[in-house]
Amino acid sequence: MCSLWVVLAFCCLGELRADQNLKPQIAAPQLATNNPTLTTVALEKPFCMFDSSMSPKKSYVIYLYAMKESASAISSLVTDNSSKPLDSTFQQTSGGQLGPYKAALFDVPNCASPPKLADAGDVNKVSDVLKQYLFRVGDDATCLYDPNFLAVCNPPLAPDTTYRFKYVLVESTEGIVKDQTLWSDPIKTRRVKLPLKIDTWPGRRSGSMIVITSIQSVLVFFLLAGLLASVSSAVMRPVNSSAETRHVSQTIQQSEPRPQLSSE
Amino acid sequence: MAKSDDGIRILQGLLVFGNVVIGMCGIALTAECIFFVSDPHGLYPLLEATENDDIYAAAWIGIFVGFALFALSILGIIGVIKSNRTLLLVYIILMLITYAFEMASCITAATHQDFLTPNLFLKQMLERYQKSETENNNDKWMTERVTDTWNKLMLQNQCCGVRGPSDWQEYLSAFRITHKDADFPWPHNCCVMDAQGSPVNLDGCKLGVPGYYNSNGCYDTISGPMNTHAWGVAWFGFAILCWTFCVLLGTMFYWSRIEY
């Protein structure tokens, strides 16, 4: 009865659905928009996936295993012969190439009161919401190179590679695997393009450039033509005016001697 | 006789008016180009690094052309009023030279504005932002200036990348070589900052939770001022040139009609 209300509450929240296939799911895209990145994948924690296998008096831990999809042909077992979880690391499996490696270890997420994704908008609550809701595979860039690191190392994944993930429920006192999900759907990390390949050619010329250049060229032509015309007309005219003045002075000279003759 | 005398007077009046307008436009052009050259938005380093900063060359030419137009307009007014052939001939020749320079400035500004595309700034940002190994002093200088400009842009305008933060994820970059994707899917300046200048929530920013990172691109804040700059120089210069064309033609006609 109690669990029925819980399921209804989930449906009302509309964010976490416990009735999907039991596979690890990628974190809600409306919350984690940058997912998957080049070297990380953020997965939703296994809410209410193992409820049927957990008994109330015992304590449990969840292990997360990751492997490259190509490794599924080699080995995809996460338990050894005695039902104990595999203790493989990133280095031992060459980053998940030879088989699954243990990427994380965390407490069983609270099925009764899951984090509300709408709370992510609140600055004070967002850290808790993110921590409780999702787990980022590939988050730790330094643990591989730190010789003092003793916890489970979660190094960055390889770009442009397909990975698959699995959650395993382990009972903490006996260390035995109680339940496991299926392997997730293949999730591929991003690939990068080279900036050399970016084409910076602007394409065709813009209209304003064509208008300015063409009109200006025409105007300059007219200016030079006008300059030529005015200089040539200025050069031509003094020739005509000097001829006129010479003609006028000649007529004056011709008219002058006659009065002298008549006076004599 | 009276009619042609009136005509000459009207032409003189028009030429004086034309020259007054040229003088004022010259001062306005100088002021506008000084404003653009002073780079109030601090975007010059981006252009300098793309080696495509000719809109600034056009603005520099505009400063000197504007001043020359002002000086020549005064010469023109004096020459028209005194009807002095020598003065007016000097005016016409110098005005033609100034016209040629202004034409060069307009065409340069209009042409080089076409080159300012998002891909140009994207490529430069990816290749230069936080580049760690620089080849020579020039490279180091440009890298530092580009990095500072981008940091300032992203902080002041709350934007990230050219088209968006996905630029950092889609392309390899100089930044990616020195900063691991797990810690820096994009620069921390893309995160929403609190009053002290540190990200409000770094995990939220890295995961891309809405409200903790800047999801819009910076291209609008870059291209807006640059387009204003280029269009201001190109089209105002074009308008001045059209007016100067008419005044010059009128002056040439007037010059050819002056009697010795």
PDB file of all heavy atoms in Angstrom, chain A residues 31 33-34 37 39 120 126-127 136 193 195 199 202 206 216 220 227 234 237, chain B residues 85 103 114 119 170 172 181-182 201 206-209 212-213 238 241 252 256:
ATOM      1  N   LEU A  31      17.789  18.374 -17.342  1.00  0.00           N
ATOM      2  CA  LEU A  31      18.595  18.819 -16.201  1.00  0.00           C
ATOM      3  C   LEU A  31      20.064  18.934 -16.598  1.00  0.00           C
ATOM      4  O   LEU A  31      20.699  19.963 -16.400  1.00  0.00           O
ATOM      5  CB  LEU A  31      18.444  17.829 -15.049  1.00  0.00           C
ATOM      6  CG  LEU A  31      19.265  18.171 -13.805  1.00  0.00           C
ATOM      7  CD1 LEU A  31      18.704  19.413 -13.149  1.00  0.00           C
ATOM      8  CD2 LEU A  31      19.290  17.025 -12.827  1.00  0.00           C
ATOM      9  N   THR A  33      22.190  19.207 -19.511  1.00  0.00           N
ATOM     10  CA  THR A  33      22.148  19.415 -20.957  1.00  0.00           C
ATOM     11  C   THR A  33      23.469  19.043 -21.628  1.00  0.00           C
ATOM     12  O   THR A  33      23.489  18.713 -22.802  1.00  0.00           O
ATOM     13  CB  THR A  33      21.839  20.882 -21.288  1.00  0.00           C
ATOM     14  OG1 THR A  33      22.783  21.696 -20.595  1.00  0.00           O
ATOM     15  CG2 THR A  33      20.448  21.266 -20.864  1.00  0.00           C
ATOM     16  N   ASN A  34      24.560  19.102 -20.883  1.00  0.00           N
ATOM     17  CA  ASN A  34      25.861  18.807 -21.466  1.00  0.00           C
ATOM     18  C   ASN A  34      26.220  17.362 -21.150  1.00  0.00           C
ATOM     19  O   ASN A  34      27.033  17.080 -20.300  1.00  0.00           O
ATOM     20  CB  ASN A  34      26.908  19.762 -20.876  1.00  0.00           C
ATOM     21  CG  ASN A  34      28.258  19.607 -21.542  1.00  0.00           C
ATOM     22  OD1 ASN A  34      28.344  19.204 -22.692  1.00  0.00           O
ATOM     23  ND2 ASN A  34      29.309  19.917 -20.824  1.00  0.00           N
ATOM     24  N   THR A  37      29.600  14.160 -22.480  1.00  0.00           N
ATOM     25  CA  THR A  37      30.613  15.077 -23.000  1.00  0.00           C
ATOM     26  C   THR A  37      31.706  14.246 -23.657  1.00  0.00           C
ATOM     27  O   THR A  37      31.517  13.079 -23.954  1.00  0.00           O
ATOM     28  CB  THR A  37      31.213  15.937 -21.890  1.00  0.00           C
ATOM     29  OG1 THR A  37      32.016  15.103 -21.056  1.00  0.00           O
ATOM     30  CG2 THR A  37      30.135  16.580 -21.063  1.00  0.00           C
ATOM     31  N   THR A  39      34.491  13.155 -22.323  1.00  0.00           N
ATOM     32  CA  THR A  39      35.104  12.119 -21.494  1.00  0.00           C
ATOM     33  C   THR A  39      34.257  11.735 -20.298  1.00  0.00           C
ATOM     34  O   THR A  39      34.723  10.988 -19.448  1.00  0.00           O
ATOM     35  CB  THR A  39      36.472  12.595 -20.962  1.00  0.00           C
ATOM     36  OG1 THR A  39      36.274  13.823 -20.260  1.00  0.00           O
ATOM     37  CG2 THR A  39      37.450  12.806 -22.090  1.00  0.00           C
ATOM     38  N   ALA A 120      16.499  21.987  -8.564  1.00  0.00           N
ATOM     39  CA  ALA A 120      17.810  22.345  -9.108  1.00  0.00           C
ATOM     40  C   ALA A 120      17.913  23.833  -9.385  1.00  0.00           C
ATOM     41  O   ALA A 120      19.005  24.368  -9.492  1.00  0.00           O
ATOM     42  CB  ALA A 120      18.086  21.556 -10.387  1.00  0.00           C
ATOM     43  N   VAL A 126      20.832  22.916  -5.091  1.00  0.00           N
ATOM     44  CA  VAL A 126      21.248  22.248  -6.324  1.00  0.00           C
ATOM     45  C   VAL A 126      22.355  21.220  -6.094  1.00  0.00           C
ATOM     46  O   VAL A 126      22.345  20.153  -6.708  1.00  0.00           O
ATOM     47  CB  VAL A 126      21.645  23.290  -7.397  1.00  0.00           C
ATOM     48  CG1 VAL A 126      22.865  24.067  -6.967  1.00  0.00           C
ATOM     49  CG2 VAL A 126      21.858  22.657  -8.722  1.00  0.00           C
ATOM     50  N   SER A 127      23.297  21.517  -5.191  1.00  0.00           N
ATOM     51  CA  SER A 127      24.377  20.543  -4.955  1.00  0.00           C
ATOM     52  C   SER A 127      23.804  19.231  -4.469  1.00  0.00           C
ATOM     53  O   SER A 127      24.194  18.156  -4.938  1.00  0.00           O
ATOM     54  CB  SER A 127      25.343  21.057  -3.881  1.00  0.00           C
ATOM     55  OG  SER A 127      26.032  22.148  -4.346  1.00  0.00           O
ATOM     56  N   ARG A 136      28.338  11.081 -12.119  1.00  0.00           N
ATOM     57  CA  ARG A 136      29.066  11.431 -13.343  1.00  0.00           C
ATOM     58  C   ARG A 136      30.254  10.494 -13.506  1.00  0.00           C
ATOM     59  O   ARG A 136      31.233  10.562 -12.746  1.00  0.00           O
ATOM     60  CB  ARG A 136      29.541  12.880 -13.220  1.00  0.00           C
ATOM     61  CG  ARG A 136      29.928  13.511 -14.520  1.00  0.00           C
ATOM     62  CD  ARG A 136      30.031  15.014 -14.335  1.00  0.00           C
ATOM     63  NE  ARG A 136      30.479  15.670 -15.558  1.00  0.00           N
ATOM     64  CZ  ARG A 136      31.582  16.401 -15.677  1.00  0.00           C
ATOM     65  NH1 ARG A 136      32.364  16.566 -14.636  1.00  0.00           N
ATOM     66  NH2 ARG A 136      31.898  16.948 -16.825  1.00  0.00           N
ATOM     67  N   LYS A 193      35.922  17.887 -33.631  1.00  0.00           N
ATOM     68  CA  LYS A 193      36.361  18.243 -34.982  1.00  0.00           C
ATOM     69  C   LYS A 193      37.567  19.167 -34.838  1.00  0.00           C
ATOM     70  O   LYS A 193      37.693  19.889 -33.859  1.00  0.00           O
ATOM     71  CB  LYS A 193      35.231  18.992 -35.696  1.00  0.00           C
ATOM     72  CG  LYS A 193      34.005  18.152 -35.919  1.00  0.00           C
ATOM     73  CD  LYS A 193      32.968  18.908 -36.727  1.00  0.00           C
ATOM     74  CE  LYS A 193      31.883  19.441 -35.820  1.00  0.00           C
ATOM     75  NZ  LYS A 193      30.715  19.954 -36.535  1.00  0.00           N
ATOM     76  N   PRO A 195      39.755  22.442 -35.519  1.00  0.00           N
ATOM     77  CA  PRO A 195      39.441  23.826 -35.916  1.00  0.00           C
ATOM     78  C   PRO A 195      40.013  24.199 -37.280  1.00  0.00           C
ATOM     79  O   PRO A 195      39.547  25.138 -37.913  1.00  0.00           O
ATOM     80  CB  PRO A 195      40.089  24.677 -34.807  1.00  0.00           C
ATOM     81  CG  PRO A 195      41.049  23.811 -34.126  1.00  0.00           C
ATOM     82  CD  PRO A 195      40.590  22.403 -34.305  1.00  0.00           C
ATOM     83  N   ASP A 199      35.584  26.526 -42.076  1.00  0.00           N
ATOM     84  CA  ASP A 199      35.684  27.297 -43.307  1.00  0.00           C
ATOM     85  C   ASP A 199      35.391  28.760 -43.016  1.00  0.00           C
ATOM     86  O   ASP A 199      34.282  29.111 -42.612  1.00  0.00           O
ATOM     87  CB  ASP A 199      34.671  26.738 -44.312  1.00  0.00           C
ATOM     88  CG  ASP A 199      34.800  27.409 -45.658  1.00  0.00           C
ATOM     89  OD1 ASP A 199      35.818  28.077 -45.882  1.00  0.00           O
ATOM     90  OD2 ASP A 199      33.882  27.265 -46.473  1.00  0.00           O
ATOM     91  N   PRO A 202      33.941  34.036 -46.540  1.00  0.00           N
ATOM     92  CA  PRO A 202      32.679  34.727 -46.269  1.00  0.00           C
ATOM     93  C   PRO A 202      31.571  34.474 -47.266  1.00  0.00           C
ATOM     94  O   PRO A 202      30.451  34.907 -47.052  1.00  0.00           O
ATOM     95  CB  PRO A 202      33.089  36.206 -46.310  1.00  0.00           C
ATOM     96  CG  PRO A 202      34.296  36.244 -47.152  1.00  0.00           C
ATOM     97  CD  PRO A 202      35.020  34.953 -46.930  1.00  0.00           C
ATOM     98  N   SER A 206      28.547  41.232 -50.219  1.00  0.00           N
ATOM     99  CA  SER A 206      27.279  41.797 -49.766  1.00  0.00           C
ATOM    100  C   SER A 206      26.841  42.886 -50.730  1.00  0.00           C
ATOM    101  O   SER A 206      27.647  43.468 -51.451  1.00  0.00           O
ATOM    102  CB  SER A 206      27.438  42.383 -48.372  1.00  0.00           C
ATOM    103  OG  SER A 206      28.274  43.504 -48.425  1.00  0.00           O
ATOM    104  N   GLN A 216      30.673  54.650 -56.750  1.00  0.00           N
ATOM    105  CA  GLN A 216      31.848  55.504 -56.582  1.00  0.00           C
ATOM    106  C   GLN A 216      32.724  55.496 -57.824  1.00  0.00           C
ATOM    107  O   GLN A 216      33.267  56.530 -58.229  1.00  0.00           O
ATOM    108  CB  GLN A 216      32.668  55.053 -55.370  1.00  0.00           C
ATOM    109  CG  GLN A 216      32.048  55.415 -54.054  1.00  0.00           C
ATOM    110  CD  GLN A 216      31.743  56.886 -53.985  1.00  0.00           C
ATOM    111  OE1 GLN A 216      32.576  57.735 -54.273  1.00  0.00           O
ATOM    112  NE2 GLN A 216      30.522  57.201 -53.627  1.00  0.00           N
ATOM    113  N   VAL A 220      33.678  58.876 -59.901  1.00  0.00           N
ATOM    114  CA  VAL A 220      35.060  59.317 -60.122  1.00  0.00           C
ATOM    115  C   VAL A 220      35.310  59.527 -61.609  1.00  0.00           C
ATOM    116  O   VAL A 220      35.981  60.480 -62.022  1.00  0.00           O
ATOM    117  CB  VAL A 220      36.051  58.301 -59.525  1.00  0.00           C
ATOM    118  CG1 VAL A 220      37.440  58.468 -60.104  1.00  0.00           C
ATOM    119  CG2 VAL A 220      36.109  58.462 -58.031  1.00  0.00           C
ATOM    120  N   LEU A 227      36.757  67.390 -65.030  1.00  0.00           N
ATOM    121  CA  LEU A 227      38.008  68.128 -64.897  1.00  0.00           C
ATOM    122  C   LEU A 227      38.650  68.338 -66.265  1.00  0.00           C
ATOM    123  O   LEU A 227      39.093  69.442 -66.609  1.00  0.00           O
ATOM    124  CB  LEU A 227      38.967  67.365 -63.980  1.00  0.00           C
ATOM    125  CG  LEU A 227      40.322  68.026 -63.756  1.00  0.00           C
ATOM    126  CD1 LEU A 227      40.149  69.269 -62.927  1.00  0.00           C
ATOM    127  CD2 LEU A 227      41.290  67.075 -63.072  1.00  0.00           C
ATOM    128  N   ALA A 234      38.976  75.882 -70.660  1.00  0.00           N
ATOM    129  CA  ALA A 234      39.743  77.032 -70.188  1.00  0.00           C
ATOM    130  C   ALA A 234      40.950  77.277 -71.073  1.00  0.00           C
ATOM    131  O   ALA A 234      41.360  78.423 -71.298  1.00  0.00           O
ATOM    132  CB  ALA A 234      40.172  76.799 -68.739  1.00  0.00           C
ATOM    133  N   ARG A 237      39.633  78.894 -74.628  1.00  0.00           N
ATOM    134  CA  ARG A 237      39.053  80.236 -74.685  1.00  0.00           C
ATOM    135  C   ARG A 237      40.058  81.370 -74.791  1.00  0.00           C
ATOM    136  O   ARG A 237      39.835  82.304 -75.531  1.00  0.00           O
ATOM    137  CB  ARG A 237      38.113  80.465 -73.494  1.00  0.00           C
ATOM    138  CG  ARG A 237      36.652  80.431 -73.939  1.00  0.00           C
ATOM    139  CD  ARG A 237      35.673  80.913 -72.903  1.00  0.00           C
ATOM    140  NE  ARG A 237      35.901  80.334 -71.598  1.00  0.00           N
ATOM    141  CZ  ARG A 237      36.142  81.077 -70.523  1.00  0.00           C
ATOM    142  NH1 ARG A 237      36.221  82.376 -70.603  1.00  0.00           N
ATOM    143  NH2 ARG A 237      36.340  80.496 -69.357  1.00  0.00           N
TER     144      ARG A 237
ATOM    145  N   ARG B  85      41.093  82.167 -59.892  1.00  0.00           N
ATOM    146  CA  ARG B  85      41.278  80.928 -60.642  1.00  0.00           C
ATOM    147  C   ARG B  85      42.320  80.015 -60.011  1.00  0.00           C
ATOM    148  O   ARG B  85      42.159  78.799 -59.972  1.00  0.00           O
ATOM    149  CB  ARG B  85      41.696  81.246 -62.070  1.00  0.00           C
ATOM    150  CG  ARG B  85      40.584  81.863 -62.889  1.00  0.00           C
ATOM    151  CD  ARG B  85      40.901  81.749 -64.340  1.00  0.00           C
ATOM    152  NE  ARG B  85      40.501  80.439 -64.828  1.00  0.00           N
ATOM    153  CZ  ARG B  85      40.266  80.151 -66.091  1.00  0.00           C
ATOM    154  NH1 ARG B  85      40.438  81.087 -66.999  1.00  0.00           N
ATOM    155  NH2 ARG B  85      39.911  78.954 -66.474  1.00  0.00           N
ATOM    156  N   MET B 103      37.221  57.520 -51.024  1.00  0.00           N
ATOM    157  CA  MET B 103      36.654  56.396 -51.756  1.00  0.00           C
ATOM    158  C   MET B 103      37.321  55.104 -51.328  1.00  0.00           C
ATOM    159  O   MET B 103      36.664  54.079 -51.114  1.00  0.00           O
ATOM    160  CB  MET B 103      36.859  56.615 -53.258  1.00  0.00           C
ATOM    161  CG  MET B 103      36.014  55.711 -54.096  1.00  0.00           C
ATOM    162  SD  MET B 103      36.100  56.150 -55.807  1.00  0.00           S
ATOM    163  CE  MET B 103      37.408  55.115 -56.357  1.00  0.00           C
ATOM    164  N   ASP B 114      32.435  42.237 -44.869  1.00  0.00           N
ATOM    165  CA  ASP B 114      31.936  40.941 -45.325  1.00  0.00           C
ATOM    166  C   ASP B 114      32.699  39.787 -44.720  1.00  0.00           C
ATOM    167  O   ASP B 114      32.185  38.673 -44.624  1.00  0.00           O
ATOM    168  CB  ASP B 114      32.052  40.831 -46.860  1.00  0.00           C
ATOM    169  CG  ASP B 114      31.051  41.719 -47.557  1.00  0.00           C
ATOM    170  OD1 ASP B 114      30.146  42.218 -46.894  1.00  0.00           O
ATOM    171  OD2 ASP B 114      31.200  41.902 -48.780  1.00  0.00           O
ATOM    172  N   ASN B 119      32.324  32.054 -38.235  1.00  0.00           N
ATOM    173  CA  ASN B 119      33.379  31.049 -38.345  1.00  0.00           C
ATOM    174  C   ASN B 119      34.755  31.651 -38.141  1.00  0.00           C
ATOM    175  O   ASN B 119      35.657  31.005 -37.598  1.00  0.00           O
ATOM    176  CB  ASN B 119      33.324  30.372 -39.719  1.00  0.00           C
ATOM    177  CG  ASN B 119      32.333  29.236 -39.732  1.00  0.00           C
ATOM    178  OD1 ASN B 119      31.786  28.873 -38.705  1.00  0.00           O
ATOM    179  ND2 ASN B 119      32.104  28.662 -40.894  1.00  0.00           N
ATOM    180  N   GLU B 170      32.366  20.694 -29.297  1.00  0.00           N
ATOM    181  CA  GLU B 170      32.371  20.123 -30.649  1.00  0.00           C
ATOM    182  C   GLU B 170      33.747  20.147 -31.291  1.00  0.00           C
ATOM    183  O   GLU B 170      34.025  19.352 -32.166  1.00  0.00           O
ATOM    184  CB  GLU B 170      31.437  20.930 -31.549  1.00  0.00           C
ATOM    185  CG  GLU B 170      29.987  20.558 -31.428  1.00  0.00           C
ATOM    186  CD  GLU B 170      29.112  21.490 -32.239  1.00  0.00           C
ATOM    187  OE1 GLU B 170      29.514  21.869 -33.354  1.00  0.00           O
ATOM    188  OE2 GLU B 170      28.045  21.862 -31.745  1.00  0.00           O
ATOM    189  N   LEU B 172      38.114  20.610 -31.183  1.00  0.00           N
ATOM    190  CA  LEU B 172      39.362  20.573 -30.439  1.00  0.00           C
ATOM    191  C   LEU B 172      39.882  21.999 -30.346  1.00  0.00           C
ATOM    192  O   LEU B 172      39.627  22.804 -31.239  1.00  0.00           O
ATOM    193  CB  LEU B 172      40.364  19.696 -31.201  1.00  0.00           C
ATOM    194  CG  LEU B 172      41.674  19.357 -30.498  1.00  0.00           C
ATOM    195  CD1 LEU B 172      41.411  18.612 -29.222  1.00  0.00           C
ATOM    196  CD2 LEU B 172      42.534  18.534 -31.421  1.00  0.00           C
ATOM    197  N   ASP B 181      38.650  17.794 -20.133  1.00  0.00           N
ATOM    198  CA  ASP B 181      37.223  17.922 -20.327  1.00  0.00           C
ATOM    199  C   ASP B 181      36.450  17.607 -19.049  1.00  0.00           C
ATOM    200  O   ASP B 181      35.391  18.179 -18.797  1.00  0.00           O
ATOM    201  CB  ASP B 181      36.791  16.983 -21.451  1.00  0.00           C
ATOM    202  CG  ASP B 181      35.303  16.867 -21.551  1.00  0.00           C
ATOM    203  OD1 ASP B 181      34.680  17.856 -21.964  1.00  0.00           O
ATOM    204  OD2 ASP B 181      34.757  15.809 -21.212  1.00  0.00           O
ATOM    205  N   ALA B 182      36.977  16.697 -18.209  1.00  0.00           N
ATOM    206  CA  ALA B 182      36.231  16.327 -17.007  1.00  0.00           C
ATOM    207  C   ALA B 182      36.099  17.522 -16.061  1.00  0.00           C
ATOM    208  O   ALA B 182      35.076  17.718 -15.416  1.00  0.00           O
ATOM    209  CB  ALA B 182      36.932  15.168 -16.312  1.00  0.00           C
ATOM    210  N   ASN B 201      27.667  27.396  -8.908  1.00  0.00           N
ATOM    211  CA  ASN B 201      27.755  25.966  -8.631  1.00  0.00           C
ATOM    212  C   ASN B 201      28.545  25.323  -9.752  1.00  0.00           C
ATOM    213  O   ASN B 201      28.073  25.251 -10.887  1.00  0.00           O
ATOM    214  CB  ASN B 201      26.355  25.353  -8.538  1.00  0.00           C
ATOM    215  CG  ASN B 201      26.418  23.912  -8.085  1.00  0.00           C
ATOM    216  OD1 ASN B 201      26.829  23.027  -8.823  1.00  0.00           O
ATOM    217  ND2 ASN B 201      26.044  23.674  -6.858  1.00  0.00           N
ATOM    218  N   LYS B 206      29.303  22.472 -14.998  1.00  0.00           N
ATOM    219  CA  LYS B 206      29.943  21.438 -15.819  1.00  0.00           C
ATOM    220  C   LYS B 206      28.914  20.534 -16.480  1.00  0.00           C
ATOM    221  O   LYS B 206      29.096  20.081 -17.604  1.00  0.00           O
ATOM    222  CB  LYS B 206      30.883  20.599 -14.961  1.00  0.00           C
ATOM    223  CG  LYS B 206      32.141  21.354 -14.558  1.00  0.00           C
ATOM    224  CD  LYS B 206      33.227  20.425 -14.105  1.00  0.00           C
ATOM    225  CE  LYS B 206      33.093  20.079 -12.656  1.00  0.00           C
ATOM    226  NZ  LYS B 206      34.247  19.326 -12.129  1.00  0.00           N
ATOM    227  N   LEU B 207      27.833  20.255 -15.755  1.00  0.00           N
ATOM    228  CA  LEU B 207      26.820  19.364 -16.310  1.00  0.00           C
ATOM    229  C   LEU B 207      25.901  20.076 -17.276  1.00  0.00           C
ATOM    230  O   LEU B 207      25.166  19.445 -18.018  1.00  0.00           O
ATOM    231  CB  LEU B 207      25.965  18.776 -15.177  1.00  0.00           C
ATOM    232  CG  LEU B 207      26.608  17.641 -14.401  1.00  0.00           C
ATOM    233  CD1 LEU B 207      25.837  17.371 -13.122  1.00  0.00           C
ATOM    234  CD2 LEU B 207      26.631  16.383 -15.247  1.00  0.00           C
ATOM    235  N   GLY B 208      25.907  21.397 -17.245  1.00  0.00           N
ATOM    236  CA  GLY B 208      25.015  22.124 -18.133  1.00  0.00           C
ATOM    237  C   GLY B 208      23.616  22.274 -17.573  1.00  0.00           C
ATOM    238  O   GLY B 208      22.652  22.283 -18.322  1.00  0.00           O
ATOM    239  N   VAL B 209      23.501  22.393 -16.253  1.00  0.00           N
ATOM    240  CA  VAL B 209      22.184  22.582 -15.647  1.00  0.00           C
ATOM    241  C   VAL B 209      21.724  24.000 -15.959  1.00  0.00           C
ATOM    242  O   VAL B 209      22.472  24.957 -15.735  1.00  0.00           O
ATOM    243  CB  VAL B 209      22.259  22.376 -14.116  1.00  0.00           C
ATOM    244  CG1 VAL B 209      20.919  22.589 -13.483  1.00  0.00           C
ATOM    245  CG2 VAL B 209      22.798  20.998 -13.796  1.00  0.00           C
ATOM    246  N   TYR B 212      22.914  27.717 -14.436  1.00  0.00           N
ATOM    247  CA  TYR B 212      24.242  27.736 -13.824  1.00  0.00           C
ATOM    248  C   TYR B 212      25.337  27.927 -14.845  1.00  0.00           C
ATOM    249  O   TYR B 212      26.509  27.943 -14.496  1.00  0.00           O
ATOM    250  CB  TYR B 212      24.474  26.445 -13.018  1.00  0.00           C
ATOM    251  CG  TYR B 212      23.527  26.365 -11.848  1.00  0.00           C
ATOM    252  CD1 TYR B 212      22.302  25.715 -11.971  1.00  0.00           C
ATOM    253  CD2 TYR B 212      23.824  26.997 -10.649  1.00  0.00           C
ATOM    254  CE1 TYR B 212      21.398  25.701 -10.919  1.00  0.00           C
ATOM    255  CE2 TYR B 212      22.926  26.977  -9.591  1.00  0.00           C
ATOM    256  CZ  TYR B 212      21.723  26.326  -9.733  1.00  0.00           C
ATOM    257  OH  TYR B 212      20.839  26.304  -8.699  1.00  0.00           O
ATOM    258  N   TYR B 213      24.950  28.037 -16.107  1.00  0.00           N
ATOM    259  CA  TYR B 213      25.942  28.328 -17.128  1.00  0.00           C
ATOM    260  C   TYR B 213      25.291  29.242 -18.154  1.00  0.00           C
ATOM    261  O   TYR B 213      24.065  29.331 -18.235  1.00  0.00           O
ATOM    262  CB  TYR B 213      26.455  27.038 -17.781  1.00  0.00           C
ATOM    263  CG  TYR B 213      25.519  26.398 -18.781  1.00  0.00           C
ATOM    264  CD1 TYR B 213      25.858  26.319 -20.128  1.00  0.00           C
ATOM    265  CD2 TYR B 213      24.303  25.839 -18.375  1.00  0.00           C
ATOM    266  CE1 TYR B 213      25.000  25.733 -21.040  1.00  0.00           C
ATOM    267  CE2 TYR B 213      23.454  25.252 -19.293  1.00  0.00           C
ATOM    268  CZ  TYR B 213      23.815  25.204 -20.618  1.00  0.00           C
ATOM    269  OH  TYR B 213      22.973  24.613 -21.517  1.00  0.00           O
ATOM    270  N   PHE B 238      30.216  57.476 -48.048  1.00  0.00           N
ATOM    271  CA  PHE B 238      29.546  57.449 -49.345  1.00  0.00           C
ATOM    272  C   PHE B 238      28.656  58.664 -49.508  1.00  0.00           C
ATOM    273  O   PHE B 238      28.638  59.318 -50.560  1.00  0.00           O
ATOM    274  CB  PHE B 238      28.729  56.163 -49.452  1.00  0.00           C
ATOM    275  CG  PHE B 238      27.980  55.992 -50.728  1.00  0.00           C
ATOM    276  CD1 PHE B 238      28.631  55.667 -51.904  1.00  0.00           C
ATOM    277  CD2 PHE B 238      26.608  56.162 -50.769  1.00  0.00           C
ATOM    278  CE1 PHE B 238      27.938  55.507 -53.084  1.00  0.00           C
ATOM    279  CE2 PHE B 238      25.909  56.008 -51.953  1.00  0.00           C
ATOM    280  CZ  PHE B 238      26.572  55.675 -53.108  1.00  0.00           C
ATOM    281  N   LEU B 241      30.712  61.666 -50.146  1.00  0.00           N
ATOM    282  CA  LEU B 241      31.272  61.655 -51.493  1.00  0.00           C
ATOM    283  C   LEU B 241      30.238  62.050 -52.538  1.00  0.00           C
ATOM    284  O   LEU B 241      30.559  62.751 -53.508  1.00  0.00           O
ATOM    285  CB  LEU B 241      31.835  60.277 -51.820  1.00  0.00           C
ATOM    286  CG  LEU B 241      33.124  59.943 -51.104  1.00  0.00           C
ATOM    287  CD1 LEU B 241      33.591  58.554 -51.479  1.00  0.00           C
ATOM    288  CD2 LEU B 241      34.202  60.944 -51.451  1.00  0.00           C
ATOM    289  N   MET B 252      34.048  73.098 -60.839  1.00  0.00           N
ATOM    290  CA  MET B 252      34.764  73.014 -62.117  1.00  0.00           C
ATOM    291  C   MET B 252      34.078  73.873 -63.171  1.00  0.00           C
ATOM    292  O   MET B 252      34.737  74.592 -63.950  1.00  0.00           O
ATOM    293  CB  MET B 252      34.802  71.571 -62.604  1.00  0.00           C
ATOM    294  CG  MET B 252      35.754  70.691 -61.855  1.00  0.00           C
ATOM    295  SD  MET B 252      35.619  69.049 -62.541  1.00  0.00           S
ATOM    296  CE  MET B 252      36.325  68.094 -61.268  1.00  0.00           C
ATOM    297  N   SER B 256      35.683  77.212 -64.941  1.00  0.00           N
ATOM    298  CA  SER B 256      35.871  77.353 -66.378  1.00  0.00           C
ATOM    299  C   SER B 256      35.187  78.614 -66.908  1.00  0.00           C
ATOM    300  O   SER B 256      35.482  79.066 -68.010  1.00  0.00           O
ATOM    301  CB  SER B 256      35.340  76.129 -67.114  1.00  0.00           C
ATOM    302  OG  SER B 256      33.948  76.021 -66.911  1.00  0.00           O
TER     303      SER B 256
END
